[in-house]
Amino acid sequence: MILLRFAFYRLLTMLMTLLLVSALIFMIINLPPGDYLSNQIEELRATGQTNSVAKAEFLRHEYALDRPIIEQYFIWIGAIPGPHGFSGLLQGDFGWSFEFDQPVADIVGQALWLTVLVNLAAVLFVYLVALPLGVIAAARSKTWVDYTSAFVGYLGLATPNFLLALILFYYGHRYFNLPIGGLMAPEFEGEPMSFDKMKSILLHLIIPTFVIGTSGAAAMMQRLRANMLDELSKPYVETARAKGVPPAKLLAKYPLRVALNPFVADIGNLLPSMISGSVLVSVVLGLQTIGPALLAALKSQDQFLAGFILLFVALLTLIGTMISDVLLMLLDPRIRYGARK
């Protein structure tokens, strides 16, 4: 009951936060002077293309870009009627991309689930690598195991993702015959999901997962190692050892459970940070994610496309934070009792 009440409260908080974030995103995108169409109008007037200027002016009116910023925002989210009535995010209309000259929904449709797939695979890689290595490094502190894991961790933190992508891009194909570029073979693009298409996607995921997840795994491994060493030095661990508790049971039942709190709390930041940090990797590896579209939209001030993608990343952050809060309540009795009080 407490957990359900807490989850409901966090859901309401998440919706209010998302509304505030959407307003901040829209205002920040519109901070530079002008927009895509007004910049285009200036270029057309400079070159004397008056016919195209009339078309651009018509589009500015059609998408309410000639109205005040506050009014544009409420039309964008669908809270007030625009030139075509109530037609915004709340009604499932994501807007029009002037850069790509097509609806935003058509651009991000397949890219969204591919982005989530790539980054979920990277998050899974981070936890599968960081959890055992961090625990082993702490349990074997000041041995060759600890020094080796520390060296690997620092190497992962110091190597830029795009450089690691280029290295694996070449050697992965040359020595392991891994596919180059994209997230699936060209013949499967636009086709319905099948076993062969899923197999192609999984093969193409190997390099992006390793590249995107390496730095996150290295940082999380070092953090878990530090937390474990702090817990292993506390008196209750010495007491458990003196009572003859087996080492494996001692690690799993007491220090690891406490040290996992920051590990679980990182879920909220890990997924969105990977999405934002994988933009350059997506360009280098030619991945069909929202990264290249976001980069193009920000450069050209394509506000509807950039706004939707940034709002999607913010939504992932809030969902991840909510999941981490619920897991922390399940993991740590002190948080449950604090919520009850």
Side-chain angles (χ1 to χ4, degrees), residues 14-15 18 21 25 268 271-272 308-322:
M14 185 180 74
L15 292 176
L18 190 63
V21 169
I25 287 173
L271 189 57
F308 175 77
I309 295 176
L310 292 175
L311 190 61
F312 173 72
V313 175
L315 178 63
L316 288 181
T317 305
L318 294 173
I319 292 174
T321 303
M322 181 179 177

mmCIF file of all heavy atoms in Angstrom, residues 14-15 18 21 25 268 271-272 308-322:
data_model
loop_
_atom_site.group_PDB
_atom_site.id
_atom_site.type_symbol
_atom_site.label_atom_id
_atom_site.label_comp_id
_atom_site.label_asym_id
_atom_site.label_seq_id
_atom_site.Cartn_x
_atom_site.Cartn_y
_atom_site.Cartn_z
ATOM 1 N N MET A 14 5.940 13.652 -11.495
ATOM 2 C CA MET A 14 6.580 13.511 -12.794
ATOM 3 C C MET A 14 5.832 14.296 -13.867
ATOM 4 O O MET A 14 6.440 14.968 -14.705
ATOM 5 C CB MET A 14 6.661 12.032 -13.174
ATOM 6 C CG MET A 14 7.413 11.759 -14.457
ATOM 7 S SD MET A 14 7.472 9.991 -14.858
ATOM 8 C CE MET A 14 5.791 9.728 -15.402
ATOM 9 N N LEU A 15 4.496 14.242 -13.841
ATOM 10 C CA LEU A 15 3.709 14.963 -14.840
ATOM 11 C C LEU A 15 3.868 16.474 -14.690
ATOM 12 O O LEU A 15 3.992 17.201 -15.683
ATOM 13 C CB LEU A 15 2.232 14.573 -14.706
ATOM 14 C CG LEU A 15 1.896 13.126 -15.079
ATOM 15 C CD1 LEU A 15 0.421 12.838 -14.811
ATOM 16 C CD2 LEU A 15 2.233 12.843 -16.542
ATOM 17 N N LEU A 18 7.322 17.376 -15.940
ATOM 18 C CA LEU A 18 7.382 17.302 -17.396
ATOM 19 C C LEU A 18 6.768 18.552 -18.031
ATOM 20 O O LEU A 18 7.277 19.054 -19.036
ATOM 21 C CB LEU A 18 6.659 16.047 -17.888
ATOM 22 C CG LEU A 18 6.834 15.696 -19.363
ATOM 23 C CD1 LEU A 18 8.289 15.389 -19.666
ATOM 24 C CD2 LEU A 18 5.964 14.505 -19.736
ATOM 25 N N VAL A 21 9.347 21.285 -17.586
ATOM 26 C CA VAL A 21 10.481 21.050 -18.475
ATOM 27 C C VAL A 21 10.123 21.388 -19.924
ATOM 28 O O VAL A 21 10.931 21.953 -20.663
ATOM 29 C CB VAL A 21 10.959 19.585 -18.362
ATOM 30 C CG1 VAL A 21 11.941 19.240 -19.465
ATOM 31 C CG2 VAL A 21 11.603 19.344 -17.009
ATOM 32 N N ILE A 25 12.207 23.924 -22.237
ATOM 33 C CA ILE A 25 12.764 23.487 -23.515
ATOM 34 C C ILE A 25 12.319 24.417 -24.639
ATOM 35 O O ILE A 25 13.126 24.863 -25.464
ATOM 36 C CB ILE A 25 12.344 22.035 -23.817
ATOM 37 C CG1 ILE A 25 13.094 21.060 -22.921
ATOM 38 C CG2 ILE A 25 12.594 21.686 -25.285
ATOM 39 C CD1 ILE A 25 12.620 19.631 -23.038
ATOM 40 N N GLY A 268 18.165 6.801 -13.017
ATOM 41 C CA GLY A 268 17.469 7.970 -13.533
ATOM 42 C C GLY A 268 18.316 8.823 -14.452
ATOM 43 O O GLY A 268 17.795 9.463 -15.368
ATOM 44 N N LEU A 271 20.271 6.505 -18.484
ATOM 45 C CA LEU A 271 19.682 6.361 -19.816
ATOM 46 C C LEU A 271 19.675 7.670 -20.596
ATOM 47 O O LEU A 271 20.153 7.709 -21.740
ATOM 48 C CB LEU A 271 18.276 5.780 -19.699
ATOM 49 C CG LEU A 271 17.597 5.365 -21.010
ATOM 50 C CD1 LEU A 271 18.441 4.345 -21.758
ATOM 51 C CD2 LEU A 271 16.206 4.792 -20.737
ATOM 52 N N PRO A 272 19.176 8.794 -20.039
ATOM 53 C CA PRO A 272 19.209 10.041 -20.814
ATOM 54 C C PRO A 272 20.611 10.546 -21.103
ATOM 55 O O PRO A 272 20.859 11.129 -22.166
ATOM 56 C CB PRO A 272 18.430 11.023 -19.936
ATOM 57 C CG PRO A 272 18.434 10.437 -18.585
ATOM 58 C CD PRO A 272 18.458 8.954 -18.769
ATOM 59 N N PHE A 308 10.534 18.199 -29.532
ATOM 60 C CA PHE A 308 9.981 16.881 -29.223
ATOM 61 C C PHE A 308 11.074 15.918 -28.760
ATOM 62 O O PHE A 308 10.880 15.163 -27.794
ATOM 63 C CB PHE A 308 9.274 16.300 -30.442
ATOM 64 C CG PHE A 308 8.789 14.890 -30.234
ATOM 65 C CD1 PHE A 308 7.646 14.643 -29.491
ATOM 66 C CD2 PHE A 308 9.502 13.823 -30.750
ATOM 67 C CE1 PHE A 308 7.216 13.343 -29.270
ATOM 68 C CE2 PHE A 308 9.082 12.518 -30.538
ATOM 69 C CZ PHE A 308 7.932 12.284 -29.795
ATOM 70 N N ILE A 309 12.228 15.920 -29.430
ATOM 71 C CA ILE A 309 13.302 14.992 -29.055
ATOM 72 C C ILE A 309 13.811 15.300 -27.648
ATOM 73 O O ILE A 309 14.017 14.393 -26.826
ATOM 74 C CB ILE A 309 14.446 15.043 -30.081
ATOM 75 C CG1 ILE A 309 13.961 14.524 -31.437
ATOM 76 C CG2 ILE A 309 15.634 14.217 -29.609
ATOM 77 C CD1 ILE A 309 14.999 14.619 -32.543
ATOM 78 N N LEU A 310 14.017 16.588 -27.335
ATOM 79 C CA LEU A 310 14.487 16.959 -26.000
ATOM 80 C C LEU A 310 13.447 16.622 -24.933
ATOM 81 O O LEU A 310 13.796 16.199 -23.825
ATOM 82 C CB LEU A 310 14.817 18.452 -25.966
ATOM 83 C CG LEU A 310 16.030 18.877 -26.793
ATOM 84 C CD1 LEU A 310 16.171 20.393 -26.786
ATOM 85 C CD2 LEU A 310 17.312 18.230 -26.278
ATOM 86 N N LEU A 311 12.169 16.779 -25.271
ATOM 87 C CA LEU A 311 11.110 16.420 -24.323
ATOM 88 C C LEU A 311 11.066 14.906 -24.111
ATOM 89 O O LEU A 311 10.808 14.427 -22.999
ATOM 90 C CB LEU A 311 9.766 16.922 -24.844
ATOM 91 C CG LEU A 311 8.586 16.851 -23.868
ATOM 92 C CD1 LEU A 311 8.862 17.708 -22.632
ATOM 93 C CD2 LEU A 311 7.302 17.303 -24.539
ATOM 94 N N PHE A 312 11.348 14.146 -25.151
ATOM 95 C CA PHE A 312 11.396 12.688 -25.040
ATOM 96 C C PHE A 312 12.543 12.262 -24.113
ATOM 97 O O PHE A 312 12.369 11.372 -23.263
ATOM 98 C CB PHE A 312 11.584 12.073 -26.429
ATOM 99 C CG PHE A 312 11.811 10.596 -26.428
ATOM 100 C CD1 PHE A 312 10.785 9.715 -26.145
ATOM 101 C CD2 PHE A 312 13.066 10.075 -26.713
ATOM 102 C CE1 PHE A 312 10.998 8.346 -26.136
ATOM 103 C CE2 PHE A 312 13.288 8.709 -26.709
ATOM 104 C CZ PHE A 312 12.254 7.840 -26.424
ATOM 105 N N VAL A 313 13.697 12.915 -24.243
ATOM 106 C CA VAL A 313 14.829 12.608 -23.364
ATOM 107 C C VAL A 313 14.490 12.979 -21.919
ATOM 108 O O VAL A 313 14.832 12.247 -20.974
ATOM 109 C CB VAL A 313 16.091 13.350 -23.834
ATOM 110 C CG1 VAL A 313 17.248 13.135 -22.865
ATOM 111 C CG2 VAL A 313 16.499 12.884 -25.230
ATOM 112 N N ALA A 314 13.802 14.107 -21.732
ATOM 113 C CA ALA A 314 13.382 14.499 -20.378
ATOM 114 C C ALA A 314 12.406 13.487 -19.791
ATOM 115 O O ALA A 314 12.471 13.165 -18.600
ATOM 116 C CB ALA A 314 12.743 15.884 -20.422
ATOM 117 N N LEU A 315 11.502 12.968 -20.628
ATOM 118 C CA LEU A 315 10.561 11.949 -20.159
ATOM 119 C C LEU A 315 11.294 10.688 -19.717
ATOM 120 O O LEU A 315 10.949 10.082 -18.681
ATOM 121 C CB LEU A 315 9.564 11.623 -21.275
ATOM 122 C CG LEU A 315 8.533 10.526 -20.975
ATOM 123 C CD1 LEU A 315 7.639 10.947 -19.817
ATOM 124 C CD2 LEU A 315 7.690 10.221 -22.207
ATOM 125 N N LEU A 316 12.312 10.280 -20.466
ATOM 126 C CA LEU A 316 13.107 9.118 -20.071
ATOM 127 C C LEU A 316 13.797 9.363 -18.727
ATOM 128 O O LEU A 316 13.898 8.456 -17.890
ATOM 129 C CB LEU A 316 14.153 8.800 -21.143
ATOM 130 C CG LEU A 316 13.647 8.195 -22.451
ATOM 131 C CD1 LEU A 316 14.819 7.935 -23.382
ATOM 132 C CD2 LEU A 316 12.874 6.912 -22.211
ATOM 133 N N THR A 317 14.281 10.596 -18.517
ATOM 134 C CA THR A 317 14.926 10.931 -17.249
ATOM 135 C C THR A 317 13.957 10.772 -16.091
ATOM 136 O O THR A 317 14.284 10.184 -15.054
ATOM 137 C CB THR A 317 15.445 12.381 -17.287
ATOM 138 O OG1 THR A 317 16.295 12.560 -18.410
ATOM 139 C CG2 THR A 317 16.204 12.714 -16.018
ATOM 140 N N LEU A 318 12.739 11.278 -16.268
ATOM 141 C CA LEU A 318 11.745 11.205 -15.198
ATOM 142 C C LEU A 318 11.299 9.763 -14.939
ATOM 143 O O LEU A 318 11.123 9.355 -13.784
ATOM 144 C CB LEU A 318 10.539 12.078 -15.560
ATOM 145 C CG LEU A 318 10.819 13.582 -15.628
ATOM 146 C CD1 LEU A 318 9.609 14.333 -16.155
ATOM 147 C CD2 LEU A 318 11.220 14.111 -14.256
ATOM 148 N N ILE A 319 11.124 8.989 -16.015
ATOM 149 C CA ILE A 319 10.743 7.586 -15.842
ATOM 150 C C ILE A 319 11.855 6.818 -15.128
ATOM 151 O O ILE A 319 11.599 6.019 -14.212
ATOM 152 C CB ILE A 319 10.420 6.946 -17.202
ATOM 153 C CG1 ILE A 319 9.135 7.559 -17.783
ATOM 154 C CG2 ILE A 319 10.266 5.428 -17.074
ATOM 155 C CD1 ILE A 319 8.816 7.083 -19.186
ATOM 156 N N GLY A 320 13.101 7.054 -15.543
ATOM 157 C CA GLY A 320 14.228 6.398 -14.895
ATOM 158 C C GLY A 320 14.347 6.773 -13.425
ATOM 159 O O GLY A 320 14.626 5.919 -12.575
ATOM 160 N N THR A 321 14.093 8.044 -13.110
ATOM 161 C CA THR A 321 14.144 8.485 -11.714
ATOM 162 C C THR A 321 13.058 7.826 -10.889
ATOM 163 O O THR A 321 13.278 7.416 -9.735
ATOM 164 C CB THR A 321 14.005 10.017 -11.646
ATOM 165 O OG1 THR A 321 15.022 10.627 -12.433
ATOM 166 C CG2 THR A 321 14.127 10.501 -10.210
ATOM 167 N N MET A 322 11.862 7.713 -11.468
ATOM 168 C CA MET A 322 10.761 7.066 -10.757
ATOM 169 C C MET A 322 11.076 5.591 -10.504
ATOM 170 O O MET A 322 10.834 5.066 -9.405
ATOM 171 C CB MET A 322 9.473 7.206 -11.566
ATOM 172 C CG MET A 322 8.256 6.586 -10.903
ATOM 173 S SD MET A 322 6.757 6.813 -11.870
ATOM 174 C CE MET A 322 5.576 5.899 -10.866
#
